[in-house]
């Protein structure tokens, strides 16, 4: 077993330890199903993140079963060898080769799942399963439980408790290990080059999809398997639509272009946003708002360190953004009052309506609680950051035309987003090579 496979085996062992701490039982973790796009064509297959985190196995039609008891076991159910199907669809490991290659204690054909599960569930104290994630599997689990309960006269007991296995895995996935960090840094580096490529090629007269094509080209050219999410390439007023998708709008002279895009590499996401002028030069109003967003991001990054609360960065960014809104006249002091009143009343939300970050990992909006557990019924405090956590830092300003808003700022949308790895002393911005100062952006676009 190579070093990477040992990492997956160690994760399974760690999950089994947590199951033992709750009294033991059996865990069921399926991979994602294949999904039909239209007649005779599937969507590109992407494994389930929880499943991959525990296995490194990328074939569809597979389930991990972990047994925490007197004899701990990790079991893989996967597709059987089928040489005829391999001609059409490509190589399959098959149970025996998969068991050896991925370090499982045992492996069975996926077709044996229905027969084997009642045996494995018999006398298990608890079931560790994400109920509600897959309706088809929920129904199968119910059948298996009923099959075990039918054996009660023979002294066999069914699991008496159920725990959400995702809750345990979320906490494991929240802190990245050295292997994960290395992959995420490489994903970040690929995405940086894609953003640089888009900036350099941008000019008035192109369309949004031209820049999207440059991003996808660079992602794939450097070995990324997928975009981590649907790329946002938004010009002009489209940049004020938070989840805009790259379309066919023409990039015009004087527009800003907002690109929110990142690649996925070996199951891990990156997430970068840059905003830049289509013609290579910021106008006065564009530069004024851009510098505010950039300063707000710097304030948030300064609050991204061990011991800081998850929301500290957001609060710092909001304070800078709100002050900038007052200084530029986006917010009328006579109507909204002082900086503290703007923040308390949420008046800034007219132009900044989202949070400043989210967890990042195998999913672009990665798993993990944002608040700490509370022993009483009181409000749960925001989570403290720890080394190994990865999160985005992404403040913005979005100005839609509205009465009382200076017209020079209308249809300007700006967001600046980087990926921050929390370290022992602060944070490492692993996407920092993507230009983001006014001077650096304009210099790159002159090339």
């Amino acid at each position: 077993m190579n070093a990477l496979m040992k990492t997956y085996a160690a994760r399974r062992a760690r999950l089994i330890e947590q199951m033992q701490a709750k009294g033991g039982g059996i865990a069921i973790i399926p991979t994602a199903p294949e999904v039909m796009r239209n007649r005779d064509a599937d969507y590109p297959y992407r494994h389930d993140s929880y499943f991959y985190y525990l296995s490194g196995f990328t074939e569809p039609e597979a389930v991990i079963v972990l047994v925490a008891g007197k004899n701990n076991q990790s079991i893989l159910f996967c597709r059987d060898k089928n040489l005829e199907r391999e001609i059409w669809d490509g190589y399959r490991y098959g149970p025996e080769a998969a068991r050896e290659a991925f370090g499982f204690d045992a492996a069975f054909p996926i077709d044996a799942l229905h027969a084997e599960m009642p045996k494995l569930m018999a006398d298990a104290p608890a079931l560790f399963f994400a109920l509600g994630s897959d309706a088809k599997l929920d129904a199968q689990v119910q059948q298996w439980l009923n099959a075990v309960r039918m054996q009660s006269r023979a002294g066999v007991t069914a699991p008496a408790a159920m725990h959400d296995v995702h809750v345990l895995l979320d906490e494991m996935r929240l802190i990245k290990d050295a292997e994960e960090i290395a992959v995420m840094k490489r994903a970040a580096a690929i995405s940086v080059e894609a953003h640089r490529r888009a900036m350099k090629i941008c000019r008035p007269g192109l369309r949004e999809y031209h820049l999207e094509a440059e991003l996808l080209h660079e992602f794939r050219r450097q070995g990324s398997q997928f975009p981590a999410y649907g790329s946002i390439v938004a010009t002009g007023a489209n940049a004020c639509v938070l989840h805009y998708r790259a379309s066919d709008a023409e990039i015009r002279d004087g527009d800003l272009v907002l690109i929110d895009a990142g690649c996925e590499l070996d199951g891990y996401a990156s997430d970068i946003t840059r905003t830049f002028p289509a013609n290579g030069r910021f106008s006065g109003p564009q530069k004024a708002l851009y510098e505010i967003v950039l300063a707000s991001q710097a304030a948030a990054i300064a609050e991204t360190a061990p011991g800081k609360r998850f929301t500290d960065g957001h609060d710092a960014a909001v304070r800078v953004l709100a002050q900038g809104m007052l200084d530029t006249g986006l917010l009328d002091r006579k109507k909204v009052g002082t900086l503290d009143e703007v923040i308390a009343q949420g008046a800034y939300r007219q132009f900044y309506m989202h949070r400043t970050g989210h967890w990042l990992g195998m999913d672009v909006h990665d798993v993990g609680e944002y608040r700490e557990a509370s022993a009483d019924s009181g409000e749960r405090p925001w989570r403290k950051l720890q080394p190994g956590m990865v999160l985005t830092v992404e403040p913005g300003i979005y100005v839609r035309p509205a009465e009382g808003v200076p017209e020079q700022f209308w249809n300007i949308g700006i967001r600046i987003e980087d990926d921050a790895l929390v370290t022992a002393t602060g944070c490492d911005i692993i996407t920092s090579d993507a230009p983001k100062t006014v001077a650096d952006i304009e210099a790159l676009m002159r090339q």
Side-chain angles (χ1 to χ4, degrees), residues 311-328:
T311 196
D312 288 348
H314 175 73
D315 293 342
V318 163
R319 196 160 191 86
V320 174
L321 291 170
Q323 183 64 63
M325 293 172 195
L326 291 169
D327 293 343
T328 57

Side-chain angles (χ1 to χ4, degrees), residues 348-389:
Y348 65 87
R349 293 194 185 98
Q350 180 179 353
F351 307 108
Y352 179 53
M353 58 293 295
H354 60 79
R355 282 210 163 265
T356 307
H358 54 77
W359 304 133
L360 182 68
M362 302 187 85
D363 301 311
V364 68
H365 287 180
D366 208 31
V367 298
E369 291 289 340
Y370 288 93
R371 291 185 182 270
E372 295 177 356
S374 178
D376 52 37
S377 58
E379 183 177 351
R380 296 162 59 201
W382 289 100
R383 188 163 204 151
K384 287 185 178 180
L385 301 180
Q386 301 175 46
M389 292 178 172

Side-chain angles (χ1 to χ4, degrees), residues 238-251:
N238 294 337
C240 296
V241 180
L242 298 184
H243 288 165
Y244 183 82
R245 292 289 178 260
S247 188
D248 61 355
E250 182 179 351
I251 298 169

Side-chain angles (χ1 to χ4, degrees), residues 9-261:
R11 290 173 185 168
R12 296 194 294 270
R14 185 178 166 199
L15 178 56
I16 287 173
E17 287 178 8
Q18 295 185 70
M19 293 165 61
Q20 292 278 29
K22 292 182 174 290
I26 184 167
I28 305 170
I29 305 100
T31 196
E34 293 177 291
V35 179
M36 186 70 74
R37 181 183 185 275
N38 59 337
R39 182 178 176 86
D40 292 334
D42 293 330
Y43 281 104
Y45 182 71
R46 203 273 190 183
H47 51 262
D48 174 78
S49 294
Y50 291 105
F51 178 91
Y52 183 79
Y53 181 77
L54 293 172
S55 67
F57 191 70
T58 58
E59 292 184 17
E61 295 185 82
V63 175
I64 294 170
V65 176
L66 301 180
V67 179
K70 293 181 179 179
N71 298 306
N72 297 335
Q73 267 194 307
S74 63
I75 304 167
L76 176 67
F77 290 83
C78 66
R79 298 183 304 187
D80 216 340
K81 288 293 289 183
N82 185 323
L83 297 179
E84 182 178 354
R85 287 314 310 169
E86 288 185 38
I87 293 171
W88 293 91
D89 302 325
Y91 177 76
R92 296 183 178 188
Y93 274 93
E96 188 53 36
R99 180 197 63 76
E100 183 175 351
F102 295 91
F104 283 86
D105 299 316
F108 297 94
I110 190 67
D111 292 342
L113 186 67
H114 195 68
E116 293 296 325
M117 284 307 301
K119 303 174 190 175
L120 292 167
M121 292 169 66
D123 295 325
L127 182 62
F128 293 78
F129 176 65
L131 184 66
S133 297
D134 183 330
K136 182 178 178 181
L137 187 58
D138 287 353
Q140 288 182 316
V141 169
Q142 186 63 55
Q143 289 179 349
W144 300 333
L145 285 170
N146 289 338
V148 178
R149 288 167 181 152
M150 291 293 289
Q151 302 175 60
S152 61
R153 292 183 183 179
V156 178
T157 60
M162 180 174 287
H163 305 285
D164 187 348
V165 71
H166 285 179
V167 172
L168 301 179
L169 287 168
D170 288 352
E171 289 300 298
M172 292 173 61
R173 285 175 55 185
L174 186 56
I175 307 296
K176 274 61 179 179
D177 60 31
E179 289 85 357
E180 292 176 291
I181 290 169
V183 174
M184 293 189 72
K185 285 184 175 181
R186 175 61 184 148
I190 294 171
S191 296
V192 163
E193 289 306 310
H195 278 263
R196 292 175 64 90
R197 182 187 184 101
M199 283 185 194
K200 286 193 285 188
I201 202 168
C202 182
R203 64 181 184 275
L206 294 180
R207 294 189 178 272
E208 291 166 336
Y209 58 72
H210 289 124
L211 300 189
E212 182 190 22
E214 296 299 323
L215 296 167
L216 297 175
H217 174 89
E218 195 66 21
F219 290 166
R220 202 71 185 99
R221 188 182 76 84
Q222 296 206 41
S224 162
Q225 293 88 359
F226 308 99
Y229 51 96
S231 299
I232 298 172
V233 181
T235 183
N238 294 337
C240 296
V241 180
L242 298 184
H243 288 165
Y244 183 82
R245 292 289 178 260
S247 188
D248 61 355
E250 182 179 351
I251 298 169
R252 299 172 301 175
D253 192 25
D255 276 354
L256 285 179
V257 178
L258 184 155
I259 295 181
D260 185 339

